[in-house]
Amino acid sequence: MSAYYYLVAGLPDISLEDGKLSYTVESFKSEIYPELSGKDQRLVDLFYLKFDNENLLSLLKNKEAVLQRYGLYTSDELLQLIDAVREGDSPQKKYPIYFYSFVKQYLELSPEDLYCANDMLAAAYYDYAMKCSNKFVASWIEFNLNLNNIQAALAARKYKMDVSSVIVGQTEVSELLRTSNARDFGLNDMLVYFEPLQRIIEIEELVEREKKVDSLKWKWLEENSFFHYFTVERIFVFLLQLEMIERWISLDKEKGNELFRQMIQSLKDEVQIPEEFRK
């Protein structure tokens, strides 16, 4: 296992409450990622693949789609993959194998079943990522799968929907969520974070709820990486935390813009603006 003493020592301390970053996910890709060994780069690729998942699905729907910039593959590469599946060509090692199986499934879907595509791709990704040889990263991937599934299951119950239809993956937790009629799905004794997550989901204010979920993720990362000092796990955690902070900085800007639009609308409602100035 590679040790990254100088690299980790040079990483800044960051907090979920940060409003500004010296590093970004984009600068990580250009400055830190190239310093990793090939094996560790492939591990970090599991983070970037989620953007490729979005890009792949977007291109299947529209080959002119604008893609997420953080992905590992270009638009041309993903379009070549889609064409290769259509032609029945053998998989290439440059792509994760689940790309091929998913595209094949997608192309066979009837128009009325296309709504299943997101869950199909998510299930394929989680199954692929959880098989990685790094126990910390595999555990993190499974933790996220559990969080997403539990939130979906509790929401489905609340609105009297079929819980099994919103659950992704084939893990023990996934099966309990699909089949258990218990109030806690039989998970309270199995998952230490089930009860805290359940309390978070009961929060009505969406932004506060999302922030609490990210805080739960942040806590998990800190606790489970505590003994990983100068390893790729610590670098992986830094990248995940960067993404969380970036997302909140972006959301804060969006909230600010929304408030600005509301203020302008309020002024328009209060002041009678002459017709010639409304255009």
Side-chain angles (χ1 to χ4, degrees), residues 72-253:
L72 297 169
Y73 302 96
T74 66
S75 176
D76 286 344
E77 287 174 321
L78 292 176
L79 287 171
Q80 287 171 13
L81 165 72
I82 294 169
D83 289 340
V85 175
R86 283 198 174 102
E87 297 294 326
D89 296 344
S90 300
Q92 295 183 34
K93 289 184 178 180
K94 68 181 288 187
Y95 302 107
I97 191 65
Y98 76 90
F99 274 17
Y100 281 88
S101 57
F102 167 72
V103 172
K104 187 174 186 298
Q105 285 179 295
Y106 182 94
L107 295 175
E108 293 172 353
L109 287 174
S110 61
E112 57 269 22
D113 289 331
L114 287 175
Y115 73 93
C116 298
N118 281 310
D119 284 351
M120 286 167 48
L121 182 53
Y125 167 73
Y126 281 119
D127 182 62
Y128 174 84
M130 285 189 297
K131 289 177 181 174
C132 79
S133 59
N134 185 289
K135 290 183 180 180
F136 172 82
V137 174
S139 295
W140 164 254
I141 300 294
E142 185 172 1
F143 171 69
N144 276 268
L145 172 62
N146 291 342
L147 287 189
N148 292 336
N149 275 337
I150 291 168
Q151 291 179 85
L154 290 172
R157 263 195 185 172
K158 180 178 180 179
Y159 295 106
K160 312 298 183 186
M161 296 169 56
D162 175 24
V163 173
S164 64
S165 67
V166 300
I167 303 303
V168 168
Q170 301 300 323
T171 66
E172 182 180 0
V173 172
S174 299
E175 287 308 306
L176 280 171
L177 289 168
R178 287 191 183 97
T179 60
S180 176
N181 293 318
R183 185 176 182 276
D184 66 351
F185 298 95
L187 295 175
N188 204 28
D189 293 333
M190 182 186 298
L191 304 176
V192 295
Y193 50 84
F194 179 83
E195 192 172 339
L197 179 60
Q198 193 174 31
R199 289 196 299 269
I200 290 170
I201 293 169
E202 291 171 357
I203 297 172
E204 293 293 333
E205 212 281 307
L206 290 176
V207 174
E208 182 185 356
R209 188 196 309 166
E210 283 296 309
K211 198 67 171 279
K212 293 286 188 183
V213 170
D214 273 1
S215 294
L216 190 65
K217 292 180 179 180
W218 194 285
K219 180 181 178 182
W220 189 99
L221 288 168
E222 290 295 322
E223 290 178 349
N224 287 272
S225 66
F226 186 79
F227 293 106
H228 295 287
Y229 301 112
F230 298 100
T231 64
V232 67
E233 287 86 355
R234 173 51 58 186
I235 293 170
F236 194 84
V237 167
F238 179 74
L239 175 58
L240 293 166
Q241 292 175 331
L242 270 184
E243 183 197 22
M244 275 190 261
I245 298 170
E246 270 194 15
R247 187 167 74 91
W248 281 106
I249 291 173
S250 172
L251 283 174
D252 286 343
K253 288 178 181 176

Side-chain angles (χ1 to χ4, degrees), residues 58-69:
S58 295
L59 289 171
L60 281 164
K61 295 175 181 177
N62 174 18
K63 65 180 182 179
E64 303 296 331
V66 177
L67 305 189
Q68 292 264 3
R69 68 183 186 276

Side-chain angles (χ1 to χ4, degrees), residues 35-68:
E35 300 298 320
L36 305 178
S37 69
K39 180 180 179 181
D40 289 343
Q41 284 181 347
R42 289 189 292 275
L43 194 65
V44 173
D45 286 348
L46 294 174
F47 167 84
Y48 290 108
L49 277 174
K50 62 186 179 182
F51 300 107
D52 288 299
N53 291 340
E54 293 182 39
N55 291 341
L56 182 59
L57 194 53
S58 295
L59 289 171
L60 281 164
K61 295 175 181 177
N62 174 18
K63 65 180 182 179
E64 303 296 331
V66 177
L67 305 189
Q68 292 264 3

